[in-house]
Amino acid sequence: MTTHDQPLSLKQRMSGATTFGMNIYSTACMPIEVAGNWGLDFVFIDAEHTALGVDRDMEKLLLAARSAAIHSLVRVRGTLEWDIRKALEMGASGVIVPQVHNAAQMREIIRFSKFAPLGRRGGDSSVRSAGYAGPGFDWARYTEAQNAQSVIVPMAESYEFFDNIDEILAVEGIDAVHFGPADYSLSRGLPVDYRLGNPEVLERLQLLISKCHARSIKVMVPCFPADLDTARRLIEMGSDMLLMGSDLSWLNSAGQQIAAVQQALRG
């Protein structure tokens, strides 16, 4: 807690020890609230690969996160101004942007997500992030706070990102980079392995950690399997933000246990 008894922002949490989150693929509030109950730092709400948009369903999930006192990061559909701005206006702690391949793209992301002088984000006071222009609203304080607190996370999930890594990371305003081993592998025609068993994929992650840390940028990584040994390995490598599975993986794990019981009983 801060000296004013306010919860730490996600960026403040990221400045300290390792942070832990989980992916949300459903449109249900329950897994977000459960994650908050168990003290996770953030949820990664996916609008790229799911039925979710940056719409009323997303608003419901963001409100569930607020109710459960857990921070929310929205993976938007791409480098889209409307998605990025609206996710932040609806109350997300930050955005995760997939398929970032070059510095020009990264500059657009900052332009859409940050107010001047850092970017050119459009503003309106009739949104949740502005407190709906309620008591004490002040434009200067609002835009300054949004620039300071909004967490911006591009994804490193293609060979093009690594071809242009120095130019991308040089763009001001990046808080963390999320490494996507599956899409990186697909971009190179490699077998997909979240365990980082391929030497090239592992080397890419090590390179990303080295270059990000040189610029005080955090690195987010999926922890698979989501167990203590894997988490320790990733932290020892320098990973800062670990994704400990998803609502879907929880359901599949339970389904696997039930199927095993069913099979045993049937002989």
Side-chain angles (χ1 to χ4, degrees):
M1 306 291 278
T2 69
T3 56
H4 298 289
D5 201 34
Q6 293 294 317
L8 293 176
S9 70
L10 180 56
K11 196 173 291 191
Q12 287 171 320
R13 291 193 184 199
M14 290 165 57
S15 69
T18 307
T19 52
F20 296 88
M22 61 170 286
N23 294 70
I24 301 295
Y25 293 114
S26 72
T27 59
C29 295
M30 186 186 296
I32 294 175
E33 294 176 273
V34 170
N37 289 346
W38 286 102
L40 275 70
D41 297 294
F42 66 93
V43 284
F44 173 136
I45 306 174
D46 187 32
E48 182 193 11
H49 293 294
T50 70
L52 284 168
V54 185
D55 52 20
R56 284 182 295 176
D57 283 332
M58 179 63 70
E59 181 180 39
K60 176 184 69 174
L61 300 191
L62 293 174
L63 288 172
R66 178 173 292 202
S67 174
I70 187 170
H71 289 288
S72 53
L73 293 172
V74 173
R75 177 158 67 180
V76 294
R77 293 174 295 174
T79 309
L80 302 170
E81 181 174 6
W82 184 90
D83 273 16
I84 293 170
R85 183 181 68 248
K86 199 157 189 177
L88 295 173
E89 288 178 339
M90 289 166 66
S93 303
V95 291
I96 298 170
V97 185
Q99 298 296 334
V100 176
H101 304 310
N102 55 59
Q105 231 180 321
M106 192 66 239
R107 285 190 289 271
E108 286 287 273
I109 293 165
I110 298 302
R111 178 180 173 85
F112 300 154
S113 61
K114 298 294 185 181
F115 289 108
L118 299 178
R120 289 296 303 277
R121 172 177 158 182
D124 196 303
S125 60
S126 61
V127 295
R128 182 172 294 108
S129 60
Y132 303 109
F137 175 76
D138 176 81
W139 269 106
R141 285 198 300 270
Y142 167 57
T143 56
E144 183 180 358
Q146 282 286 290
N147 278 355
Q149 295 175 9
S150 297
V151 175
I152 308 304
V153 186
M155 292 194 68
E157 55 179 347
S158 66
Y159 68 83
E160 292 96 335
F161 183 100
F162 288 94
D163 286 347
N164 300 302
I165 187 169
D166 291 319
E167 293 84 358
I168 293 172
L169 296 183
V171 177
E172 183 182 358
I174 301 172
D175 298 295
V177 177
H178 174 36
F179 181 60
D183 272 328
Y184 176 79
S185 297
L186 291 172
S187 80
R188 292 278 293 115
L190 302 171
V192 173
D193 178 11
Y194 278 100
R195 298 173 188 265
L196 306 175
N198 185 285
E200 179 181 334
V201 178
L202 179 60
E203 186 276 332
R204 295 286 96 174
L205 174 57
Q206 291 169 329
L207 176 66
L208 180 67
I209 290 171
S210 174
K211 287 187 174 290
C212 282
H213 285 185
R215 294 181 175 274
S216 298
I217 296 170
K218 304 296 184 181
V219 177
M220 181 190 296
V221 185
C223 182
F224 185 84
D227 57 29
L228 182 59
D229 288 342
T230 307
R232 278 179 172 157
R233 175 189 175 214
L234 292 172
I235 291 170
E236 287 170 359
M237 287 175 59
S239 304
D240 307 289
M241 306 174 74
L242 300 188
L243 291 165
M244 306 299 290
S246 68
D247 50 0
L248 179 59
S249 67
W250 290 4
L251 288 170
N252 275 326
S253 178
Q256 186 177 28
Q257 292 179 34
I258 295 167
V261 171
Q262 183 182 47
Q263 184 175 6
L265 290 173
R266 288 176 175 173

